[in-house]
């Protein structure tokens, strides 16, 4: 497993790097690849095949090369991506099972840091797939009823890319003023400011141990 820590200031630059990983051959000789970094400033990402509501007005927004719902990125959140060949023996053959491997890494990192993951996920009576927090995904994680792990994936020719976020910070602290009307789709995350670097390092150690 090749570990990459490339990090940029803007949502567009960070998502652009992942897209180059997937489509341009970057790292194609170093499979699989795991990239992890800390998000720098409030930002929003959304699926390459979807947009955002017309009244969305936020400075730092970008599409991403994978699907899923709109994600609110708070400063200090852990963002990661994993690139590999579809036939890489490191992952299960079935495309739907590949995301479960990455989810297991995050769960182990959380538990290793003394953070218990909810056994039962809350059921949203009115799920809205336009937003990540209410987008149902069996491989995502909740802590104290809050979604803390968001995952999305895309297949591209002979490769696949999984993108994920660990919500360490509270969305309400960064988006309420500009996008308060969408607070239903915010997450309070882990609510553990100051723990993000330690948790990211733990995640990387978990990934490396599965080499």
């Amino acid at each position: 497993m090749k570990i990459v820590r490339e990090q940029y200031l803007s949502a567009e630059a960070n998502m652009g790097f992942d897209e180059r990983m997937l489509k341009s051959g970057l790292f194609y000789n170093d499979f699989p690849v795991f990239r992890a970094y800390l998000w720098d400033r409030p930002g929003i990402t959304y699926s390459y095949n979807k947009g955002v509501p017309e009244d969305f007005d936020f400075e730092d927004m970008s599409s991403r090369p994978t699907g899923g719902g709109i994600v609110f990125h708070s400063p200090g959140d852990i963002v990661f991506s994993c690139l590999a060949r579809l036939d890489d023996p490191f992952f299960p053959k079935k495309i739907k099972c590949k995301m479960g491997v990455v989810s297991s890494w995050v769960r182990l990192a959380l538990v290793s840091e003394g953070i218990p993951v909810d056994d039962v996920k809350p059921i949203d009576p009115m799920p809205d797939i336009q937003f990540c927090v209410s987008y149902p995904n069996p491989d995502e994680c909740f802590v104290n009823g809050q979604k803390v792990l968001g995952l999305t994936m895309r297949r591209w020719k002979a490769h696949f890319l999984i993108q994920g976020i660990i919500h360490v910070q509270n969305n309400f602290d960064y988006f309420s003023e500009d996008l308060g009307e969408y607070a239903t789709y915010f997450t309070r995350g882990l609510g553990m400011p100051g723990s993000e670097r330690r948790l990211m390092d733990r995640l990387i150690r978990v990934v490396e141990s599965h080499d």
Side-chain angles (χ1 to χ4, degrees):
M1 177 73 72
K2 181 180 179 66
I3 303 298
V4 177
R5 295 175 180 260
E6 198 79 17
Q7 177 182 0
Y8 299 93
L9 292 178
S10 71
E12 182 177 15
N14 279 308
M15 295 303 102
F17 185 87
D18 279 356
E19 186 163 16
R20 291 194 300 277
M21 284 207 308
L22 178 64
K23 295 182 178 181
S24 71
L26 190 65
F27 301 125
Y28 273 17
N29 295 321
D30 298 293
F31 284 133
V33 177
F34 188 81
R35 176 193 179 205
Y37 59 99
L38 298 180
W39 198 263
D40 186 75
R41 62 189 186 189
I44 292 169
T45 64
Y46 52 91
S47 171
Y48 71 97
N49 59 3
K50 298 177 185 176
V52 296
E54 292 184 359
D55 60 345
F56 250 49
D57 184 17
F58 202 78
E59 180 180 356
D60 194 17
M61 295 196 301
S62 175
S63 64
R64 58 177 181 268
T66 54
I70 294 169
V71 176
F72 297 94
H73 298 257
S74 299
D77 284 343
I78 301 167
V79 183
F80 60 86
S81 50
C82 185
L83 172 72
R85 294 186 303 268
L86 288 168
D87 62 355
D88 193 301
F90 197 90
F91 295 90
K93 290 184 177 180
K94 292 185 178 180
I95 190 73
K96 292 183 178 180
C97 297
K98 298 180 189 298
M99 195 179 290
V101 173
V102 177
S103 175
S104 70
W105 295 340
V106 176
R107 289 172 182 270
L108 181 54
L110 290 170
V111 172
S112 297
E113 288 296 315
I115 304 169
V117 178
D118 295 353
D119 292 327
V120 179
K121 299 178 181 179
I123 299 176
D124 191 334
M126 298 182 64
D128 186 343
I129 63 173
Q130 190 174 16
F131 293 87
C132 176
V133 75
S134 62
Y135 196 116
N137 183 331
D139 292 313
E140 297 178 328
C141 301
F142 288 76
V143 172
N144 295 324
Q146 298 292 311
K147 180 178 276 194
V148 299
L149 170 63
L151 290 169
T152 181
M153 180 170 63
R154 185 180 180 185
R155 175 176 177 171
W156 177 264
K157 298 182 179 179
H159 312 98
F160 71 91
L161 177 72
I162 294 173
Q163 291 183 300
I165 180 172
I166 302 175
H167 291 282
V168 180
Q169 313 298 347
N170 188 335
N171 286 163
F172 288 86
D173 293 339
Y174 299 97
F175 298 98
S176 295
E177 182 176 345
D178 296 306
L179 296 169
E181 63 270 35
Y182 292 97
T184 301
Y185 306 108
F186 295 169
T187 176
R188 297 188 185 280
L190 294 173
M192 298 174 61
S195 66
E196 56 271 13
R197 191 165 299 279
R198 186 181 72 247
L199 180 56
M200 183 177 69
D201 289 342
R202 172 73 73 172
L203 174 61
I204 290 174
R205 290 199 297 272
V206 169
V207 173
E208 291 176 326
S209 72
H210 283 71
D211 219 346

